[in-house]
Amino acid sequence: MFSRQFLLVSSLAAATLTAGVCVHSAEAAPRDKAFFQSVAGSWNGPGEIVAGKYKGTKFTCSLTGKAIDGSGAGVKLDGTCRVGVFQQPMSAEITQSGGSYSGKFLDGAAGKGLDVTSGTVNDGTVVLGLNRQKLNGAMIARVSDSKSMNVTISVKVGEQMVPVIGVTLKRADVDPIAVGSIQ
């Protein structure tokens, strides 16, 4: 039971970098691409479940992001999250899809993960809509500077979005040439 809950929590935590659809302008594409280039590299840090049955559970994640090549914006993440002696592989792929974003965490909602159903990028922050069967939520990842990123995952309960997971990641590979900037 705990490992199944840990799997869901871990996939939410990786969703570590309000769901709405945004119509992109020609100016938004370079900004979005710059954002995802800025999250490329290695990230490590602690997280905590802040609501629900496992409230107070602490974990750590080590993730490596790689910006998706090509004309669209997006990122591919791989790594692990650990609670005590339990370790869970993490993966995600988020890609620009028309005027929004799509993708999946782990193997998507059809498997043991989550689907990315929408997304926007503004001012160093990405907001992604998440779905798994009847669970709807959002992940907000804010890059405050080139060395740190805060991630909050919320789920919809009734008409409210309730934060359930918080993660603070620090860059593990600070190389000013490799790190993109947010414009």
Side-chain angles (χ1 to χ4, degrees):
M1 176 72 155
F2 179 75
S3 65
R4 194 170 45 185
Q5 291 293 333
F6 176 64
L7 180 63
L8 179 58
V9 166
S10 298
S11 65
L12 287 170
T16 329
L17 243 197
T18 307
V21 175
C22 170
V23 177
H24 284 269
S25 68
E27 297 166 1
R31 180 196 62 219
D32 289 12
K33 192 165 187 154
F35 174 84
F36 287 110
Q37 288 173 340
S38 79
V39 299
S42 297
W43 298 86
N44 298 316
E48 183 175 353
I49 301 171
V50 296
K53 184 176 180 178
Y54 294 102
K55 180 179 180 178
T57 301
K58 296 181 189 302
F59 57 91
T60 59
C61 293
S62 296
L63 304 168
T64 300
K66 181 179 180 194
I68 292 177
D69 294 330
S71 60
V75 68
K76 235 180 166 175
L77 293 169
D78 284 302
T80 59
C81 289
R82 174 185 290 283
V83 172
V85 297
F86 298 100
Q87 183 171 301
Q88 176 67 42
M90 291 293 106
S91 64
E93 187 167 336
I94 302 162
T95 57
Q96 197 168 27
S97 177
S100 188
Y101 285 87
S102 63
K104 60 185 178 179
F105 290 92
L106 297 176
D107 54 355
K112 296 180 180 180
L114 298 161
D115 287 338
V116 174
T117 59
S118 62
T120 62
V121 175
N122 284 304
D123 301 324
T125 302
V126 65
V127 179
L128 299 172
L130 305 175
N131 177 267
R132 176 173 174 76
Q133 298 167 359
K134 293 181 182 179
L135 173 71
N136 289 302
M139 181 194 83
I140 300 170
R142 179 177 308 247
V143 178
S144 54
D145 59 47
S146 65
K147 300 177 187 176
S148 60
M149 178 172 22
N150 293 309
V151 179
T152 303
I153 292 137
S154 301
V155 295
K156 191 167 187 175
V157 178
E159 296 299 314
Q160 263 187 301
M161 293 297 282
V162 177
V164 293
I165 295 175
V167 184
T168 302
L169 299 169
K170 297 290 181 191
R171 189 173 292 282
D173 63 348
V174 179
D175 177 357
I177 294 172
V179 176
S181 64
I182 300 172
Q183 296 177 345

